[in-house]
Amino acid sequence: MFDTSIASSTIAAIATAVVPQQGSVGIVRVSGREAIAIARRLFYAPGKQAWESHRILYGYIRHPQTQQLVDEALLLIMQAPRSYTREDVAEFHCHGGIMAVQQVLQLCLEEGAKLAQPGEFTLRAFLNGRLDLTQAESIADLVGARSPQAAQTALAGIQGKLAHPIRQLRAKCLDVLAEIEARIDFEEDLPPLDEALVQAELAQIGVEVSKILATAHQGELLRTGLKVAIVGRPNVGKSSLLNAWSRSDRAIVTDLPGTTRDVVESQLVVGGIPIQVLDTAGIRATEDRVEKMGVERSLASARAADLVLFTIDAAAGWTQADEEIYLQVKHRPLILVINKIDLAAVETVNYPTEIGQVVTTAAACDRGIDALEQAILTKVRSGKVDSADLDLAINQRQAAALIRAQTCLVQVREAIEQQLPLDFWTIDLRGAIQALGEITGEEVTESVLDRIFSQFCIGK
C-alpha cells in the first residue's frame, strides 16, 4: 500500500514502452531529492554545458566506478517545483530497445533510487498539490485512450473541467452547512433560517449532481468501448459484413457453410466510441466437434456482448434456424441485419415485428455500412448517452461518490420536510460534502489512493 506522506526517497522507473528492436528513444525518469545528484554521478556532459533547469544536456552515461560507457544520451533536468511531481526530476533520454534503458535504470537503483511503484510519479504530483484526483485519473485515461474522442475527454479532465463544477457544488454545500451551523451556535443572535431557500439551494445542487452523473455511461463507453457480436446461422454473410465494415480481410469468406470456426475480432471506432467487433461462427446443429466448439463460443460471445448484430440472409428469408437463434439472443440489445439485399427484396423477409431496429446491407457490395453505424449510435443514444458532449465523462469511482452525495442531499431535504432538528440536517449534508470531496481528493483515504494509482503503469 502507498505511503501517503510526502516521501523523502528518490524513485526511478522506465517511463517509455520497452519493446525489443523497436522504439528510437527510451526514457528513464528519476524523481526526488537525490535525482539531480544521481544524474551528476552517472552523466558526463562534455564541453561547457550548463547544468540548468529545463535545459537539455548532451553526453554519455557511464558506470560511476568503472567509467564503462553505457549509452550516448540526452539528459533533461527539471528542478522543483517546475516538474511533473513538483520534486527535482532527471530524465535520461537513451536509445530505445531493452538493454540501454534497463542498464541505466539499474545504475540509478545502485546509486540509491528506489524502483517506483505503478503510478507513483503521478501520486507524488497529487500529494504535492500539482494535480487533483480527477486530473490524475484523466492522465491514466489519456494514456489508455482508444479513440480521439476519448483522448479529448481525458484532456478536458486534465484541464479541470470535471474538478471545477465538483468544487463549486461542494462549496455551495459548505455555504449551506455554514448557515445551518450558525443557527445552531448563535440561534438568538440571527434571524430564523429560510427553510424554503435552503430546500431550493439543495434541489439545485441535486440537479447539477444528476447532470454530471448522467455522463457515467458515456465515460464507460469511451474508456472500455462497446463489444458487438455478429451472430447468425452459417453463410448469411457475417464474415463479409466484418470485412466490409473493417475494410480488411480479417475473416475468410467462402460459399461453404461453417467456414468460420472461431471468434474473429476487429477493433473499430464509430462516432468516437471504440468498438470491438466479434465475427462468430455460424450457429447450427452439427456433429463436427470443432464446429460445435465454435458454435458454443458464438453463443457465449452473444451472451457477453453489449450489442448483438443478428444477421440473416435476405434471399433465404426468415428461416426456422433463424427463429431458433433469435430465441437465444432476443434478451440482449439487438439490431437485425438483413444482409444480401442485392439478391432479394427486403420486403420478402417476414421477421418478427417486435424487433425494433432493422438495417439492410449488401456486405459483398459494401452497401449499408453507414446505416449500420448510425443504427449502433442510435442504440447507444437510446441509453441517454450523448457522445458529442466531450467535456465530462465520469468513471465508476466518481459515479459512486456522486450517487452517495445525491442520496445524502435527498435525505437532508427529507429531514427539513419532517421538521427534524437542525443537527439532523448537518449529518447528511456533511456526508454529501465528504462524497464530493472524494472525487477531487479533498477527502480521500489511503485505500482509495492505493486502488487508483495501482492501476497506472510504472513510470507514470
Side-chain angles (χ1 to χ4, degrees):
M1 188 170 290
F2 288 115
D3 179 5
T4 57
S5 62
I6 302 300
S8 59
S9 61
T10 299
I11 57 173
I14 299 173
T16 49
V18 178
V19 182
Q21 300 178 344
Q22 295 184 32
S24 59
V25 178
I27 298 175
V28 176
R29 177 178 292 160
V30 187
S31 179
R33 293 180 180 177
E34 296 298 314
I36 297 177
I38 290 173
R40 283 188 175 275
R41 292 196 291 270
L42 298 180
F43 194 83
Y44 168 68
K48 296 182 179 180
Q49 301 178 65
W51 284 66
E52 298 174 351
S53 183
H54 295 79
R55 184 185 182 100
I56 294 178
L57 303 177
Y58 161 77
Y60 304 93
I61 301 171
R62 294 175 172 175
H63 192 287
Q65 279 76 46
T66 65
Q67 295 300 302
Q68 180 180 352
L69 185 66
V70 175
D71 195 14
E72 179 183 27
L74 300 176
L75 174 66
L76 174 59
I77 296 292
M78 291 170 280
Q79 291 181 319
R82 296 172 57 211
S83 73
Y84 180 69
T85 60
R86 279 194 175 170
E87 301 174 333
D88 287 344
V89 171
E91 288 187 352
F92 299 93
H93 292 234
C94 314
H95 286 91
I98 293 180
M99 292 311 302
V101 289
Q102 287 188 339
Q103 288 183 82
V104 173
L105 175 61
Q106 184 59 38
L107 288 178
C108 292
L109 300 180
E110 291 175 2
E111 289 300 305
K114 294 171 57 180
L115 183 63
Q117 300 180 61
E120 189 169 359
F121 289 98
T122 305
L123 173 64
R124 291 190 177 200
F126 166 71
L127 295 176
N128 288 325
R130 185 183 178 276
L131 304 169
D132 66 37
L133 214 48
T134 66
Q135 291 173 311
E137 290 175 301
S138 294
I139 288 171
D141 290 339
L142 181 59
V143 172
R146 297 167 55 192
S147 71
Q149 285 77 1
Q152 283 296 112
T153 302
L155 283 170
I158 293 172
Q159 293 168 357
K161 291 187 177 180
L162 173 59
H164 181 66
I166 295 296
R167 286 200 179 96
Q168 284 187 322
L169 293 175
R170 188 169 183 268
K172 290 179 181 178
C173 289
L174 285 168
D175 289 342
V176 175
L177 179 62
E179 287 288 330
I180 297 172
E181 290 187 332
R183 271 33 179 220
I184 295 174
D185 296 333
F186 307 103
E187 182 179 5
E188 297 178 355
D189 302 325
L190 295 173
L193 190 65
D194 188 339
E195 294 185 6
L197 180 60
V198 172
Q199 281 272 34
E201 289 177 343
L202 293 176
Q204 183 58 40
I205 294 171
V207 169
E208 296 301 319
V209 168
S210 296
K211 285 181 180 178
I212 300 174
L213 192 56
T215 69
H217 187 199
Q218 173 183 320
E220 188 67 17
L221 284 175
L222 289 175
R223 291 180 183 91
T224 64
L226 198 67
K227 184 177 289 186
V228 176
I230 305 175
V231 173
R233 58 187 178 81
N235 216 32
V236 296
K238 298 186 300 299
S239 296
S240 296
L241 183 62
L242 174 63
N243 290 341
W245 194 5
S246 62
R247 293 173 176 82
S248 67
D249 295 328
R250 296 295 305 273
I252 299 173
V253 179
T254 72
D255 293 331
L256 299 174
T259 301
T260 302
R261 297 299 183 95
D262 205 347
V263 177
V264 179
E265 297 185 14
S266 188
Q267 301 292 332
L268 304 172
V269 176
V270 176
I273 299 172
I275 292 185
Q276 179 187 16
V277 185
L278 309 176
D279 172 28
T280 65
I283 299 174
R284 66 172 179 174
T286 177
E287 297 302 320
D288 185 300
R289 182 179 177 185
V290 176
E291 187 179 357
K292 184 179 293 186
M293 293 174 63
V295 170
E296 292 172 354
R297 291 187 180 185
S298 297
L299 293 172
S301 296
R303 287 190 290 267
D306 301 306
L307 177 64
V308 172
L309 301 182
F310 179 39
T311 308
I312 65 172
D313 184 344
W318 185 273
T319 67
Q320 181 61 36
D322 293 323
E323 179 70 24
E324 292 173 1
I325 297 170
Y326 175 64
L327 292 176
Q328 298 184 70
V329 300
K330 62 183 294 185
H331 63 286
R332 304 297 302 158
L334 180 144
I335 295 175
L336 176 63
V337 180
I338 303 178
N339 193 32
K340 302 185 182 181
I341 58 168
D342 53 318
L343 302 179
V346 67
E347 291 78 7
T348 62
V349 181
N350 296 315
Y351 57 85
T353 56
E354 66 189 53
I355 298 178
Q357 282 186 286
V358 180
V359 177
T360 59
T361 62
C365 305
D366 199 17
R367 288 167 50 191
I369 302 302
D370 290 342
L372 176 61
E373 292 186 346
Q374 286 302 315
I376 291 173
L377 292 177
T378 299
K379 200 76 172 178
V380 169
R381 292 190 180 104
S382 67
K384 298 182 180 180
V385 177
D386 183 5
S387 59
D389 180 8
L390 301 178
D391 284 343
L392 294 177
I394 60 175
N395 60 31
Q396 290 181 346
R397 182 193 73 85
Q398 295 159 356
L402 282 171
I403 291 171
R404 292 202 309 274
Q406 192 177 52
T407 301
C408 289
L409 290 170
V410 170
Q411 291 172 344
V412 176
R413 296 175 64 191
E414 290 176 350
I416 296 173
E417 292 170 357
Q418 295 170 14
Q419 296 294 304
L420 296 177
L422 295 181
D423 299 83
F424 286 84
W425 302 13
T426 64
I427 294 172
D428 291 313
L429 192 52
R430 288 182 185 278
I433 292 167
Q434 180 176 352
L436 293 171
E438 287 178 8
I439 297 174
T440 55
E442 280 96 346
E443 306 268 356
V444 68
T445 63
E446 187 173 330
S447 61
V448 170
L449 291 180
D450 182 55
R451 186 169 65 252
I452 292 172
F453 289 100
S454 63
Q455 297 174 14
F456 279 58
C457 59
I458 294 176
K460 194 58 180 171

